[in-house]
Amino acid sequence: MEQAPLVLNLQPGQHRLDVRLIRDVRAMGGIGEPDIQVSVEAHVTKGGLTAVEDQFLFPDLIDGELASNLASVPIRNEGSQWLYVLNLESIDGHFLVSMLEQGSLSLAAGQTRPLAINVSLLHPSAQVFSLRIEYAVGHVHGERLTCIISSNPRRLSTLEPHKFTFLHSAGIVSYAILRPPTPNVKSQQNRSEALPILLNLHGAGLEADSDQVRHSLDVLTDLDAWVIFPTGVTPWSGDDWRTFPMSLLWTSIDAELDTWGFADVEAAIAAVPEWIATVGWEGPSVDTNRWLVVGHSNGGQGTWYALSHRPDKIIAAAPVSAYSSIQAYVPYHLWHEADPLVTSIVHASMNTYRHELLVENFGGIPVLQQHGGADDNVPVYHSRRLNQLISQAGGSSRYVELQGAGHWFDGVMTTRPLREFYEYHLDRRRASPELPIQFSIMVANPGDMGSRGGIVVDQLISPERYGKIHVTRFPSSSIWVLKTSNILRFHLSRLHPVDIRLRFDDSPDLFLMDRTQQDENCFRRLTNGSWQRSNRESWLRTEERHGRQLGALNAILSSRGRFSVITQNDDTHNVSVQITRNLFQYYAADATIVEQKVRTPDEFGNVIRVLFGPEPRLSPLNGYPISFEHGFGISVRDAHGRKVFYGFEKGLGAIFLRPMSAERLELVVWGFDQTGLRQAARLVPMLTGVGQADFVIVSKRCLSTGAQGVLAMGFLDHDWNVTSVAYLT
């Protein structure tokens, strides 16, 4: 709990603290004895506001200038009253600072939040950054106090790997390590010539700023590329380098807007042009749409994810000591047994992580796999299996198994095969891989899938099944023949070739594509199986599920801005604080707590609403299938229009997604009593590799039998209706 420690306000007397321990099998691949070594530290706080100085995020000074103009520090309320941060001040006057958020920043008792800071350097000779934080106690006009924090910025040259900061799509400040092209590369380049990006994804538990990561490619001094070591926001990359739903607001650009770990990658890439402007860079520019991706261990798994979910942007990839998928790495057979339908729904909510079933997405993209033959953390089976699957799919993969080598060793990222692979595919004279004559797009969740051949899937017919488009190109006639399965809608992005014609599912009709009429390049499958061209504005509306709303329960993490946690009353306050603490602990995410009697904030972020008791205050949504029957229970309308009722009882709880405007989501967390509420709150997505469907109703039996004790579970389709495969007792 180092990131967001628990703050307890205890009355005099004896207290018993129960500590629940979890062993993360992933951490060492399940090897060794299944024991846990735990150190529990407790100390008396002084109350008030505490700034966590050892987690201060500050950009490096490069050649006397800040590499970027954003900083962040976690602040914690260790008192018993609400605190409100009002103002920031640079103590020595060497920097100009202000809060990124307008107005005050509130913290409930025990809450930890990241304080985002705008910072500019006024005196290049500054050695220390000292900050005074002014805050009020109880309310914004209460007693005013201050908290002081300092940091010593690191000084480096522009060409050294250095830390630069940027804004994550969820409104928090993150960082990456950047290494620009060297002088040898610069001398051979025109400034107008854009170089690709080499992404190096770190393994689990490592900071991108650690020597092990930031210096892992130092021996490769003259690569024709911009080298980025992303963080994924946290040492565990939040969600193991995975994405959550992308936006369909593609009026100006076709950009994926993801959360969490991979969203950080894309935010870092998007920030490089701003870095170029900030430091006055005069070398070659950057091509933010051409990536060579490499990663070790968990980062290697992230490389598989990038390959299978962003194929149009990847020129080559090298997964090193990588596990194939979380499902193949973690022993799910140790979970509680459950009804086969419940088990299938849980696993279907993790379809997007199953890289073994997505290898067709990166056909034609060069892949080099490297694995130590004596790896006792990630067994070589993972790389051998994916190499076999790529070959069966007709893909391009080379597998190098290093006999006697373990999981990690010095130089693991710069072996001779890897060096040659980087240099060959980053050679500026080499063109990007050509799109194969035949290629496929396999989609688990359209919300986190990018384009292939310029084709972007928008909606599936059945969200619990994979969707697929198989394309055969006829270059001489510019005709593409598409065979589809479980696809409801798709569109063509600006990455598609000019003036192609589409033919669908053996239909004789041809559709001419025109990049100048982007809003018209959308298609929907009709109930009779034929396809119809549609206009974007005709269907992007709140009633129909799209963009960042897609996915399972973890779609709530796809927030464009901070989260708002709305608490009903005193019965829900502690759980609300715990949810915000977990969001910060696992994702470094920001969340504000709002009382339900206060008007819901008009913000861009997603909402988590915590409700309690037999009469929860929840505004009805027209046509939405889950509702509270006041005085009786909760009901779910099934795929046939029939209502299934679950009467109020001890331990009853529920968690489900609801739509909001502008692609936002509301996650409702409800309990009939404290037992039910805490069970539901434990299903708020926090840990990677844990499947949660769009809605779950729990009973007190879940305490002892896990998923076998659920009363209802399932997915919501494109019209926000319960699908036919839902589990409803």
Side-chain angles (χ1 to χ4, degrees):
M1 295 295 291
E2 180 182 356
Q3 179 95 342
L6 187 66
V7 179
L8 300 175
N9 287 293
L10 302 177
Q11 300 300 316
Q14 290 187 339
H15 300 272
R16 189 185 81 176
L17 301 181
D18 294 327
V19 181
R20 180 169 175 260
L21 303 177
I22 299 175
R23 180 175 187 260
D24 192 339
V25 174
R26 212 181 31 151
M28 287 303 294
I31 65 173
E33 296 296 324
D35 57 8
I36 304 176
Q37 295 182 359
V38 177
S39 175
V40 179
E41 178 182 338
H43 61 89
V44 178
T45 72
K46 298 179 181 179
L49 186 74
T50 296
V52 187
E53 194 163 299
D54 61 357
Q55 295 180 30
F56 201 165
L57 173 57
F58 199 84
D60 286 337
L61 283 166
I62 53 172
D63 295 332
E65 297 289 342
L66 284 173
S68 50
N69 297 111
L70 291 171
S72 179
V73 63
I75 53 175
R76 184 166 56 250
N77 182 352
E78 296 186 349
S80 58
Q81 300 184 68
W82 282 82
L83 299 181
Y84 299 86
V85 177
L86 304 175
N87 189 38
L88 305 180
E89 179 184 8
S90 174
I91 294 176
D92 52 23
H94 291 169
F95 296 86
L96 181 65
V97 298
S98 64
M99 292 171 56
L100 189 62
E101 179 178 333
Q102 299 295 318
S104 62
L105 185 148
S106 62
L107 292 95
Q111 187 181 6
T112 302
R113 293 183 63 179
L115 175 61
I117 305 166
N118 287 311
V119 57
S120 300
L121 179 65
L122 299 179
H123 298 282
S125 61
Q127 299 296 319
V128 179
F129 175 73
S130 297
L131 180 69
R132 178 183 290 111
I133 304 172
E134 182 184 20
Y135 65 97
V137 180
H139 50 81
V140 291
H141 301 296
E143 178 187 7
R144 297 203 174 191
L145 301 173
T146 59
C147 173
I148 294 176
I149 185 172
S150 298
S151 176
N152 297 96
R154 183 171 53 194
R155 291 180 173 272
L156 298 169
S157 76
T158 303
L159 298 177
E160 290 182 273
H162 60 267
K163 182 190 300 182
F164 79 110
T165 55
F166 50 86
L167 201 61
H168 187 279
S169 58
I172 60 174
V173 177
S174 185
Y175 83 92
I177 300 299
L178 175 68
R179 195 185 83 181
T182 64
N184 287 343
V185 175
K186 289 169 62 177
S187 64
Q188 303 172 32
Q189 298 283 144
N190 298 320
R191 186 175 182 183
S192 60
E193 198 170 359
L195 294 181
I197 289 172
L198 191 157
L199 285 173
N200 188 331
L201 308 182
H202 64 72
L206 291 173
E207 280 284 357
D209 197 26
S210 66
D211 287 344
Q212 181 174 331
V213 176
R214 67 197 297 265
H215 293 301
S216 59
L217 299 179
D218 279 3
V219 298
L220 302 172
T221 56
D222 297 326
L223 292 173
D224 287 348
W226 293 77
V227 181
I228 298 178
F229 304 88
T231 65
V233 182
T234 72
W236 292 84
S237 70
D239 54 338
D240 286 349
W241 297 114
R242 301 191 183 100
T243 62
F244 290 112
M246 70 178 186
S247 172
L248 274 185
L249 299 178
W250 33 275
T251 53
S252 57
I253 56 172
D254 283 288
E256 293 82 7
L257 301 173
D258 313 287
T259 306
W260 205 260
F262 211 83
D264 188 69
V265 173
E266 295 182 311
I269 292 171
V272 174
E274 184 177 348
W275 177 93
I276 290 174
T278 299
V279 304
W281 174 258
E282 295 183 351
S285 61
V286 60
D287 187 341
T288 58
N289 287 315
R290 295 178 65 236
W291 313 342
L292 190 157
V293 185
V294 59
H296 177 264
S297 189
N298 190 36
Q301 177 273 151
T303 303
W304 288 125
Y305 194 95
L307 266 168
S308 57
H309 290 74
R310 295 293 183 271
D312 271 352
K313 293 186 176 181
I314 296 179
I315 59 176
V320 178
S321 306
Y323 62 92
S324 56
S325 67
I326 191 71
Q327 291 94 328
Y329 190 47
V330 172
Y332 285 87
H333 61 275
L334 298 179
W335 286 16
H336 282 289
E337 295 79 7
D339 185 287
L341 180 54
V342 170
T343 301
S344 68
I345 292 172
V346 170
H347 283 280
S349 66
M350 299 185 290
N351 281 347
T352 194
Y353 308 153
R354 195 84 212 201
H355 306 132
E356 296 91 339
L357 296 175
L358 303 174
V359 295
E360 292 179 83
N361 289 349
F362 49 90
I365 300 174
V367 177
L368 172 65
Q369 297 174 253
Q370 177 182 288
H371 214 119
D375 192 331
D376 59 358
N377 187 321
V378 178
V380 293
Y381 162 82
H382 291 267
S383 289
R384 292 175 181 176
R385 175 62 174 152
L386 272 171
N387 184 61
Q388 177 188 40
L389 292 173
I390 294 171
S391 176
Q392 291 173 352
S396 173
S397 174
R398 178 190 174 198
Y399 177 48
V400 176
E401 190 167 304
L402 304 176
Q403 296 303 313
H407 186 63
W408 172 268
F409 54 88
D410 289 341
V412 67
M413 306 304 293
T414 54
T415 60
R416 182 173 179 178
L418 284 172
R419 290 199 309 268
E420 293 174 348
F421 185 79
Y422 302 150
E423 292 166 355
Y424 180 86
H425 291 288
L426 291 174
D427 189 329
R428 62 187 180 278
R429 296 165 295 183
R430 194 168 308 284
S432 296
E434 289 188 3
L435 191 66
I437 293 296
Q438 294 191 30
F439 64 93
S440 295
I441 309 164
M442 184 75 78
V443 181
N445 170 20
D448 61 23
M449 179 65 194
S451 66
R452 182 58 168 151
I455 297 175
V456 181
V457 174
D458 299 321
Q459 291 176 323
L460 301 179
I461 298 172
S462 300
E464 63 276 346
R465 291 176 47 218
Y466 289 93
K468 183 176 180 179
I469 300 178
H470 181 76
V471 182
T472 301
R473 299 191 302 117
F474 296 89
S476 60
S477 60
S478 299
I479 293 176
W480 289 17
V481 177
L482 279 62
K483 303 275 189 178
T484 67
S485 173
N486 195 37
I487 302 295
L488 181 66
R489 292 185 189 272
F490 74 91
H491 74 271
L492 270 73
S493 74
R494 287 173 174 78
L495 297 177
H496 78 77
V498 179
D499 296 334
I500 61 172
R501 293 180 291 172
L502 301 185
R503 175 177 290 160
F504 300 102
D505 299 328
D506 299 322
S507 169
D509 298 329
L510 286 173
F511 296 87
L512 176 64
M513 301 297 100
D514 184 351
R515 281 197 287 189
T516 65
Q517 300 293 325
Q518 196 67 27
D519 285 353
E520 304 299 324
N521 291 341
C522 310
F523 296 88
R524 187 189 194 280
R525 185 182 179 90
L526 303 179
T527 54
N528 64 5
S530 64
W531 287 87
Q532 180 183 64
R533 190 192 293 264
S534 65
N535 181 277
R536 180 184 61 85
E537 295 295 338
S538 67
W539 70 274
L540 289 184
R541 60 187 192 277
T542 301
E543 290 82 359
E544 203 159 328
R545 192 175 185 182
H546 62 276
R548 297 191 306 276
Q549 296 173 332
L550 295 169
L553 204 68
N554 55 14
I556 191 64
L557 295 172
S558 181
S559 183
R560 293 294 309 278
R562 67 182 182 188
F563 296 93
S564 294
V565 178
I566 301 176
T567 182
Q568 177 176 303
N569 50 35
D570 291 343
D571 293 316
T572 60
H573 181 79
N574 287 340
V575 168
S576 299
V577 172
Q578 182 63 44
I579 289 173
T580 67
R581 182 185 296 118
N582 288 344
L583 286 170
F584 186 75
Q585 173 73 24
Y586 293 107
Y587 297 108
D590 188 21
T592 181
I593 297 177
V594 182
E595 295 181 359
Q596 181 156 312
K597 62 184 179 183
V598 179
R599 187 177 66 88
T600 302
D602 185 16
E603 298 184 348
F604 295 108
N606 287 340
V607 171
I608 300 174
R609 189 179 297 272
V610 186
L611 302 174
F612 180 82
E615 295 186 359
R617 295 191 295 273
L618 184 66
S619 59
L621 288 178
N622 185 37
Y624 187 75
I626 302 172
S627 61
F628 291 103
E629 309 294 331
H630 289 283
F632 177 78
I634 186 171
S635 69
V636 179
R637 188 182 69 244
D638 68 13
H640 304 288
R642 297 172 299 202
K643 275 193 174 184
V644 182
F645 294 90
Y646 302 94
F648 291 138
E649 62 178 34
K650 292 181 179 179
L652 185 69
I655 185 168
F656 50 91
L657 291 172
R658 300 206 314 169
M660 297 180 69
S661 62
E663 292 187 37
R664 293 193 301 158
L665 284 170
E666 177 183 55
L667 179 65
V668 177
V669 183
W670 168 81
F672 174 69
D673 55 15
Q674 285 295 330
T675 299
L677 178 60
R678 292 185 180 278
Q679 283 200 103
R682 285 178 60 184
L683 294 178
V684 176
M686 295 294 169
L687 296 176
T688 184
V690 180
Q692 296 108 334
D694 290 336
F695 68 91
V696 183
I697 299 178
V698 298
S699 72
K700 62 182 178 182
R701 293 183 294 279
C702 292
L703 291 170
S704 58
T705 63
Q708 178 60 20
V710 302
L711 298 175
M713 175 190 290
F715 297 99
L716 303 172
D717 66 12
H718 57 279
D719 280 327
W720 291 100
N721 290 319
V722 175
T723 67
S724 59
V725 297
Y727 176 79
L728 302 171
T729 56

